[in-house]
């Protein structure tokens, strides 16, 4: 963290810890395009096992991981069913459509972040020359910090499977969902054919995501990764950071969740501020009144960074502590108080 700055813009801003940098420096490496990097191979085996799948692929970003996943499941003229606010629809530049020739079918979310089963059912198109082929259901967990209930995942993926659709989970923050529920990440992954997970968010690695699935699926994904420019070379230096994160930074996600609770509690009675009770590490805050527009600038002047305009977003992570959260609370209170 920059000295004196409380950066709550995102859990992607974390810097590698000294111990993580040491692990990176020690990493044995090779050319991963030849399959020669022992550290990447070790990571791929480990994350596949952790998520209960046969195989895994290490990729540079979550965006590429999702795109490779969608392009492996879907071909030209296929479509994926997805939430309006899902990263794979809204925040990835339309990559599936632009680069994959795969059409999105976005659906409105329910207040808990789920897609209504009836809406999914109604969106699956009949086999008719007028329509794109409905091919994939794509869910996200956590979504805006909300955990999708396990029973819902069973119902939604069960419906997809009955109707012949494949299932993909954008699990950028899968470990947040697992830690929050006190279950193994593989219990969430078990519902899906493929899962993407990010290491550069709450887990604190500098770079990297993984796509997991069956051997045949990952075999297909490997070709798309190369085509999309994701074939890295001595990427074991990055994989080493991820292995370190899996050893040391998973259980501590509970600390981030506790800090989000602390922030929400501290803001609860500030005038003009409405806090959505956080489930994991993301706090959404609605701000009303004449002071709303100036709040972010005021926070910045006080060394507190957040994002958003009227709906502010604060994200807790490895590089924030209770004192930083308390500073953020105090700065909001100072600005909003009459
Ligand atoms: C961050 C994120 C991604 C991928 O982001 P990259 O910046 O490409 O690594 C995908 N899905 C969700 C839900 C995310 O939050």
């Amino acid at each position: 963290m920059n000295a004196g700055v409380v950066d709550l813009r995102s859990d992607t801003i974390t810097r590698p810890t000294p111990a993580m940098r040491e692990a990176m420096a020690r990493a044995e490496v090779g050319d991963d395009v030849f399959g020669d990097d022992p550290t990447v191979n070790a990571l791929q085996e480990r994350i596949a096992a952790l998520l209960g799948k046969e195989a895994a692929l290490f990729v540079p970003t979550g965006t590429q991981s999702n795109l490779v996943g969608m392009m492996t499941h879907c071909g030209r003229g296929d479509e994926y069913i997805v939430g309006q606010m899902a990263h794979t629809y809204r925040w990835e530049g339309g990559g599936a459509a632009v680069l994959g020739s795969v059409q999105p079918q976005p659906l409105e979310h329910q207040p808990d972040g789920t897609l209504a089963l009836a809406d999914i059912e109604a969106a699956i198109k009949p086999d008719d020359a007028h329509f794109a082929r409905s091919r994939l259901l794509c869910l996200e967990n956590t979504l805006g910090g909300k955990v999708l209930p396990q029973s819902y995942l069973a119902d939604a993926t069960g419906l997809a499977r009955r109707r012949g659709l494949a299932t993909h989970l954008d699990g950028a923050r899968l470990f947040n969902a697992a830690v929050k529920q006190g279950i193994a990440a593989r219990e969430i992954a078990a519902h899906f054919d493929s899962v993407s997970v990010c290491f550069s968010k709450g887990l604190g690695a500098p770079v990297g995501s993984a796509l997991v699935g069956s051997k045949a699926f990952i075999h297909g994904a490997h070709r798309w990764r190369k085509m999309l420019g994701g074939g890295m070379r001595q990427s074991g230096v990055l994989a080493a950071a991820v292995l370190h994160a899996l050893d040391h930074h998973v259980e501590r996600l509970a600390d981030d969740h506790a800090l989000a609770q602390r922030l929400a509690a501290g803001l609860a009675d500030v005038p003009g501020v409405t806090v959505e009770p956080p489930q994991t590490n993301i706090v959404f805050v609605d701000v009303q009144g004449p002071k709303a527009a100036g709040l972010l600038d005021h926070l910045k002047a006080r060394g507190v960074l957040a994002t958003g305009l009227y709906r502010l977003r604060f994200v807790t992570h490895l590089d924030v502590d209770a004192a930083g959260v308390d500073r953020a609370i105090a700065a909001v209170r100072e600005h909003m108080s009459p």
Side-chain angles (χ1 to χ4, degrees):
M1 181 166 42
N2 293 327
V5 173
V6 182
D7 194 340
L8 298 163
R9 288 173 301 167
S10 175
D11 47 9
T12 55
I13 65 100
T14 56
R15 312 273 169 90
T17 61
M20 181 180 277
R21 282 183 187 265
E22 269 176 42
M24 296 173 76
R26 278 197 311 270
E28 270 186 64
V29 297
D31 189 330
D32 181 55
V33 171
F34 290 97
D36 283 352
D37 192 302
T39 311
V40 170
N41 292 339
L43 169 61
Q44 289 177 163
E45 275 172 35
R46 177 148 175 210
I47 192 67
L50 256 180
L51 300 187
K53 303 293 184 206
E54 287 175 357
L57 198 59
F58 186 47
V59 289
T61 65
T63 298
Q64 187 176 96
S65 187
N66 283 323
L67 179 58
V68 165
M70 290 188 284
M71 289 177 74
T72 307
H73 284 298
C74 303
R76 183 180 184 202
D78 289 347
E79 76 171 7
Y80 66 110
I81 294 171
V82 63
Q84 277 285 357
M85 293 308 288
H87 206 276
T88 49
Y89 173 60
R90 188 168 290 257
W91 306 96
E92 295 181 4
V98 174
L99 301 170
S101 300
V102 182
Q103 157 175 292
Q105 167 59 71
L107 301 177
E108 291 299 334
H109 295 272
Q110 300 303 301
D112 65 358
T114 60
L115 304 176
L117 297 180
D119 292 349
I120 296 173
E121 185 101 54
I124 299 173
K125 296 170 184 54
D127 182 5
D128 177 306
H130 290 86
F131 301 123
R133 286 176 301 258
S134 302
R135 176 73 193 103
L136 176 70
L137 174 65
C138 193
L139 298 178
E140 183 173 318
N141 196 16
T142 62
L143 177 105
K146 287 179 178 157
V147 177
L148 304 193
Q150 284 289 88
S151 60
Y152 169 76
L153 296 184
D155 291 345
T157 56
L159 163 61
R161 215 156 278 129
R162 273 198 307 285
R163 299 294 305 270
L165 271 63
T167 54
H168 174 76
L169 178 67
D170 176 356
R173 296 187 179 86
L174 174 68
F175 286 103
N176 293 86
V179 166
K180 172 67 185 187
Q181 297 174 95
I183 61 178
R186 76 167 66 80
E187 294 178 63
I188 301 172
H191 298 291
F192 296 88
D193 297 317
S194 61
V195 178
S196 169
V197 59
C198 284
F199 305 120
S200 57
K201 304 241 158 121
L203 296 188
V207 175
S209 286
L211 181 65
V212 302
S214 70
K215 270 203 174 102
F217 177 83
I218 293 300
H219 180 74
H222 195 264
R223 180 181 297 270
W224 291 120
R225 183 186 70 169
K226 189 78 185 90
M227 191 186 294
L228 294 169
M232 299 182 285
R233 301 293 177 171
Q234 286 74 31
S235 39
V237 286
L238 302 174
V242 175
L243 287 165
H244 178 87
L246 290 173
D247 284 335
H248 300 287
H249 295 171
V250 175
E251 294 308 320
R252 64 149 307 284
L253 290 170
D255 302 344
D256 299 345
H257 301 169
L259 285 180
Q261 295 291 340
R262 182 185 184 101
L263 179 63
L267 295 177
D269 66 344
V270 176
V273 164
T274 311
V275 186
E276 186 179 293
Q279 295 182 20
T280 55
N281 68 328
I282 305 181
V283 185
F284 284 105
V285 175
D286 289 296
V287 188
Q288 289 92 33
K291 291 186 167 179
L295 178 56
L296 273 182
D297 285 341
H298 172 83
L299 292 180
K300 197 168 177 185
R302 294 289 182 275
V304 175
L305 304 181
T307 58
L309 189 53
Y310 293 104
R311 188 153 214 241
L312 302 191
R313 193 182 84 149
F314 299 85
V315 187
T316 55
H317 52 75
L318 195 56
D319 291 354
V320 208
D321 57 13
V325 163
D326 291 348
R327 258 179 67 197
I329 295 166
V332 173
R333 191 176 290 279
E334 178 190 32
H335 181 73
M336 296 301 292
S337 295

